[in-house]
Amino acid sequence: MLKYPVVILTALNLEYQAVRQKLASPQTHLHERGTRFEVGTVQGASCRVALGLTSKGNHSAAVIAERAIQEFSPLAVLFVGVAGALWDATRLGDVVMASHVYAYHGGTSEDDGLKARPRVWEAPHGISQLAAHVARLNDWADSTSRPEDAPQMRFGAIAAGEVVQNSRISAEAKWIRQHYNDALAIEMEAAGVAQAGHLNGAPVAIIRGISDRADGTKNSTDDRSWQPQAAANAAAFAIRLAVELAGEQEKTVVPRDDSAPSVDRLDRHVANTAHNSTVGIMAGSVTGSSVHINTAPEESGPLNLFAALHDFRENLTRHRTEGELDQDTYREALTDLESAIRSTGEQTSDSSKRAAMTLRRLRGLVVECPALMAELAPLIAAAGDRA
């Protein structure tokens, strides 16, 4: 069974039930502060999902999202539910995943009007790429739908505010469409979840089914009939994405027995460094001109991880020197790595969990460098085993 689940959060019970019915044998998981989650596996897959209800609004969504991240150290956080479309081109029942999120209520009120000062969060590159792949596969929607009625997957901006938008002609509606005219949908939780993910290093995806047009028809009979379908469509895509995320985790996690470097690799390292430097050898011996290396794993797992993280830091710097990482990415990656090293050295009750979370965030930064990704995978697994 995979160690890290995918967290799925919803604001409404209708949305919660749309996800829950796709889980096998969900079990209650109670947070120490009373928040209830249900943890189950996706039917027919090994993907674990931790499902939670946030209630409406960015503030409550942010609090519950951070609580879920700290509790489960998830592969990703998916916020799933319904939203209103801002433009007629987006059909009712279609699903929108946020390429970026606008917190549109930021602004300054001046004599000549209200000036927009939004906060913006971009979706992490890796999860956006995976979602686009799932959309291209086009096997996520309810198979009973006729082709012409099947929901379409759309990627674009989502606007998140603090009030229900249900007018096309109000001053605020016109202001939103003027300043955020690339936004496909509008809702009330994405900004809070995106901020929680940003602060905790967890990838976040906002996935919304379109149930209304935010044009005065919300809460009509037509809207109420579309809400369950839109929620079901968003849940279907989210579950499909969660399964793909779990599949990628299975591919990257390396069994601990296979994570030790081979003798051949150590020989090459010694040969490459012996030309003009002193070679330090731990757990080995020198007889004459021969070097004997003890390749058996040390009993002290934490010390192995601590040393491996220092080795990774050297390789990180080398890849920066060789131009495979840009300066900004290198700086952020180095900050996370130093934090993981400190956590590993502390050896307190929660230090291993913090180290694992930090290394998983670091993985997202070096995703464009396969060599570093491959080296990082067993370190994440080792940190997780200690947690």
Side-chain angles (χ1 to χ4, degrees):
M1 183 65 66
L2 297 175
K3 185 176 181 64
Y4 301 108
V6 174
V7 163
I8 297 182
L9 301 175
T10 72
L12 306 176
N13 264 311
L14 173 75
E15 302 158 341
Y16 187 100
Q17 291 295 343
V19 176
R20 189 180 189 275
Q21 67 181 7
K22 297 181 179 296
L23 303 181
S25 304
Q27 302 294 316
T28 299
H29 179 101
L30 187 62
H31 186 272
E32 62 180 356
R33 296 299 181 185
T35 303
R36 287 181 177 270
F37 299 92
E38 287 190 277
V39 181
T41 57
V42 175
Q43 295 175 9
S46 61
C47 173
R48 292 175 63 233
V49 168
L51 177 62
L53 185 69
T54 67
S55 79
K56 298 178 183 179
N58 287 296
H59 302 299
S60 60
V63 171
I64 300 303
E66 179 164 61
R67 188 163 289 179
I69 293 168
Q70 295 293 336
E71 186 76 359
F72 297 107
S73 299
L75 296 173
V77 177
L78 312 184
F79 200 88
V80 180
V82 300
L86 287 174
W87 308 103
D88 292 338
T90 305
R91 304 180 310 169
L92 296 180
D94 283 354
V95 177
V96 176
M97 177 168 158
S99 58
H100 50 290
V101 173
Y102 294 126
Y104 67 80
H105 267 124
T108 176
S109 179
E110 301 180 4
D111 291 343
D112 57 346
L114 180 63
K115 309 294 179 61
R117 288 186 178 179
R119 294 197 65 180
V120 183
W121 296 268
E122 285 196 21
H125 177 69
I127 201 167
S128 294
Q129 289 283 295
L130 185 58
H133 170 71
V134 172
R136 286 191 296 270
L137 293 176
N138 202 28
D139 61 355
W140 57 271
D142 185 353
S143 59
T144 62
S145 300
R146 296 180 303 173
E148 61 270 24
D149 297 330
Q152 300 297 308
M153 191 66 211
R154 299 176 180 273
F155 297 87
I158 288 180
E162 302 301 332
V163 299
V164 176
Q165 291 295 330
N166 192 28
S167 173
R168 191 180 291 270
I169 63 174
S170 69
E172 187 172 46
K174 293 178 180 178
W175 186 81
I176 290 171
R177 287 178 169 86
Q178 176 185 359
H179 292 279
Y180 305 98
N181 56 28
D182 63 332
L184 300 181
I186 189 166
E187 44 96 295
M188 298 174 61
E189 292 82 28
V193 178
Q195 175 72 348
H198 170 71
L199 293 179
N200 290 278
V204 168
I206 308 297
I207 301 168
R208 294 290 193 172
I210 300 301
S211 62
D212 64 87
R213 298 198 178 282
D215 61 355
T217 60
K218 192 173 180 65
N219 298 321
S220 66
T221 301
D222 190 46
D223 170 53
R224 287 193 294 272
S225 68
W226 270 109
Q227 265 202 352
Q229 186 60 55
N233 292 345
F237 185 82
I239 288 293
R240 185 70 175 81
L241 179 59
V243 170
E244 288 294 319
L245 284 164
E248 290 208 338
Q249 182 194 26
E250 288 181 316
K251 294 176 185 176
T252 57
V253 172
V254 179
R256 296 189 69 186
D257 290 342
D258 297 332
S259 62
S262 65
V263 174
D264 180 61
R265 179 182 171 189
L266 288 169
D267 286 344
R268 291 198 303 272
H269 179 68
V270 170
N272 290 337
T273 57
H275 292 298
N276 54 9
S277 61
T278 302
V279 179
I281 302 173
M282 297 180 63
S285 60
V286 178
T287 304
S289 59
S290 299
V291 179
H292 307 278
I293 300 175
N294 178 8
T295 59
E298 296 180 25
E299 293 182 0
S300 177
L303 289 179
N304 282 337
L305 178 59
F306 190 76
L309 290 175
H310 280 278
D311 290 341
F312 184 84
R313 180 170 56 187
E314 294 180 5
N315 290 334
L316 184 71
T317 302
R318 176 171 59 81
H319 282 280
R320 168 63 190 127
T321 302
E322 294 174 355
E324 296 184 41
L325 296 173
D326 61 62
Q327 183 60 34
D328 289 340
T329 300
Y330 170 72
R331 187 184 301 111
E332 292 293 327
L334 191 60
T335 298
D336 283 347
L337 181 58
E338 295 291 352
S339 176
I341 290 174
R342 287 194 299 272
S343 296
T344 302
E346 289 172 4
Q347 300 183 26
T348 60
S349 58
D350 65 341
S351 61
S352 296
K353 186 175 183 179
R354 285 189 282 109
M357 289 181 61
T358 305
L359 290 175
R360 289 179 55 245
R361 179 170 58 207
L362 173 58
R363 178 176 60 188
L365 291 171
V366 300
V367 68
E368 303 295 341
C369 185
L372 289 176
M373 285 282 287
E375 186 176 355
L376 194 56
L379 304 185
I380 295 172
D385 286 340
R386 296 172 57 205

